[in-house]
Amino acid sequence: MFRLAAIIHLFIGSTLAGSGVIAALVSGYDTVYGISIAAALGFLASFPITLLIARKLVAQQ
């Protein structure tokens, strides 16, 4: 399951980090600090989502 979760996390992590950066830019946080925080929060939020999806995929098999 770890390999599956790692592969899924590549896609989910980059998607949520990118969405966080876009949300920060739209909100007016256009400094390096604001963009970095938004990307980090998006990346960290992807861990529980990745585990949830990986568990559901493994359970279906």
Side-chain angles (χ1 to χ4, degrees), residues 4 8 12 48-58:
L4 175 66
I8 292 172
I12 294 175
I49 296 169
T50 298
L51 290 176
L52 178 71
I53 292 172
R55 285 183 186 156
K56 289 192 181 248
L57 285 173
V58 169

Side-chain angles (χ1 to χ4, degrees), residues 12-57:
I12 294 175
S14 62
T15 301
L16 289 180
S19 297
V21 168
I22 290 171
L25 290 172
V26 168
S27 300
Y29 297 104
D30 56 352
T31 62
V32 173
Y33 181 73
I35 293 171
S36 300
I37 293 296
L41 288 176
F43 184 76
L44 290 176
S46 67
F47 282 106
I49 296 169
T50 298
L51 290 176
L52 178 71
I53 292 172
R55 285 183 186 156
K56 289 192 181 248
L57 285 173

